Amino acid sequence: MATPATAAAPPCPSPNPLSLLPRCSTLRELKQIQAFTIKTHLQNDPSVLTKLINFCTENPSSSSMAHAHQLFDDIPEPDIVMFNSMARGYSRSNTPLQAISLFVDVLCCGLLPDDYTFPSLIKACSGAKALEEGKQLHCFAVKVGLNDNIYVRPTLVNMYTECKDVDAARLVFDKIVEPCVVSYNAIITANAKISRPNEALSLFRELQGRNLKPTDVTLLSVLSCCALLGALDLGKWIHEYVKKYGFHKYVKVNTALVDMYAKCGSLKDAVSIFENMAVKDTQAWSAMIMAYATHGQGHQAMSLFEEMRRAQVKPDNITFLGLLYACSHTGLVEEGFKYFSYMSEEHRIIPGIKHYGCMVDLLGRAGYLDRAYKFIDELPIEPTPILWRTLLSSCSSHGNIELGKKVIGRIFELDDSHGGDYVILSNLLARAGKWEDVDYLRKMMKDRGVVKIPGCSSIEVNNVVHEFFSGDGVNSVSTDLHRALDELVKELKIAGYVPDTSLVVHPDMEDDDKEITLRYHSEKLAIAFGLLNTTPGTTIRVVKNLRVCGDCHSAAKLISLIFDREIILRDVQRFHHFKDGKCSCGDFW
Ligand code: ZN
Ligand code: ZN
């Protein structure tokens, strides 16, 4: 008698191969289990395949994702659950957009997305910064009615954020009825990243109003906003919060506190946080080195670096940026070059544009202008306008018109739309009385439609950040402030202040008008506001978006003496601590 062609499978005495999965840790072991499923005739069982795919997508390396893809391709009729697993794996892999191309394939096979499909696909777009694909998925989610899903909206907010379309992120966020902390984190971080600190902070207040508990991610973003605004009181409040809820065990949060205190002008608090950190990683050391550097304490920065070396923490490119910055702001040319070569020779760190910028600044500030020009000219990379601009500032502070003109020529070859460049050169020319050249430059600016960035200074009083713009004339300033400014200038003049009208580039303007222009500089407005609205003896902290001008710098020195106030002014370059008529920068900025 012939043996029947389809004999019944023998009863399986072995254990179910899938019971081995929890103990499996490598792809090789998984393949052994897979072989076992073939032996036990389970290789086509959908639930077995799903579990094998899930294993691969849990740890999405390129080889495990390739294996998962192969398994998936072998399934005659995959379901959406299997696809979701693939999409989740790809969204966390190095090739996130593969999720999208696989999605297109399964759509052609007639599969329909469910609640879990879009979050992974949108996350894949975030990872790949693929705004166009993200938008298409958003449309598709609307079309199938899944855009309001509680998992879809937060991932959309995140995707628009990652793709730098913060306005779209905000639109989606505003439609979430009950936003969770994850959605808040996404939108707060988005605003912090594009330097909209006030918006980020008001979202943070909203989050608290809803009784949601911030996470370390929220606090990192909010602290960076305080740092950006120089909002010390709010920063201190967050610090209390950090302590109360145990966030001080996060190294990153502590590092953000060091950075916040340093940028808000309280170096003492930054040092105290740093010294009390149980664990200090490279970022923490770098933040403290940078803090010393921006506060003009170059030698402290260097000795901290020695300590870091003794602690055997590996420096990175940010650590060296801090050191170079420290050298340039303390005038330590030789030390700067020593660190510059040490960085590339010992640590194999390729200098970036910011490192080169520090070197140009280092040479320029110390007066080695021709050497700085040569340095830029011989760089192994294409110089950016910012590098030349740094040199232009040095030409201006050292009064070198010839080189200044040559440098601006190099800047204009690359970019002629930056208002600040025209202003620096005009100031340089004006101080030398070269009015014809000044006129020519102003005409050039007008013809090219270049606008000047207005100076803006901010001061935090009673937890509110007040902003003042240069040229906020008589009309936009309150009567009280207007009066306070007049009084201030009067007292300054008695103490010997002479307004430096050469800084006002208007040849036809009368000297009196030039004086008025100087009086309404944003930093003077902010300081006067601080004198008016804080109790005697309180430190006045001002943040300015551009470099402080020479006239405001001399005025601030005198104010600190006459009114016995410490004034801490952070400009775009560094900190100025004014006390007893002197500035910590030693008039070197
Ligand atoms: Zn000024
Ligand atoms: Zn100064």
Side-chain angles (χ1 to χ4, degrees), residues 541-560:
R541 294 165 199 279
V542 173
V543 177
K544 194 189 173 191
N545 66 336
L546 307 170
R547 277 191 193 209
V548 58
C549 85
D551 185 70
C552 291
H553 195 266
S554 336
K557 283 200 285 187
L558 276 175
I559 294 169
S560 73

Side-chain angles (χ1 to χ4, degrees), residues 142 148 266 489:
V142 172
D148 273 331
S266 184
V489 173

Side-chain angles (χ1 to χ4, degrees), residues 284-309:
W285 287 94
S286 303
M288 196 61 233
I289 289 174
M290 190 56 103
Y292 278 129
T294 48
H295 282 265
Q297 303 205 4
H299 293 284
Q300 290 279 21
M302 289 190 285
S303 77
L304 193 66
F305 179 64
E306 287 311 312
E307 222 181 284
M308 179 180 180
R309 272 186 9 182

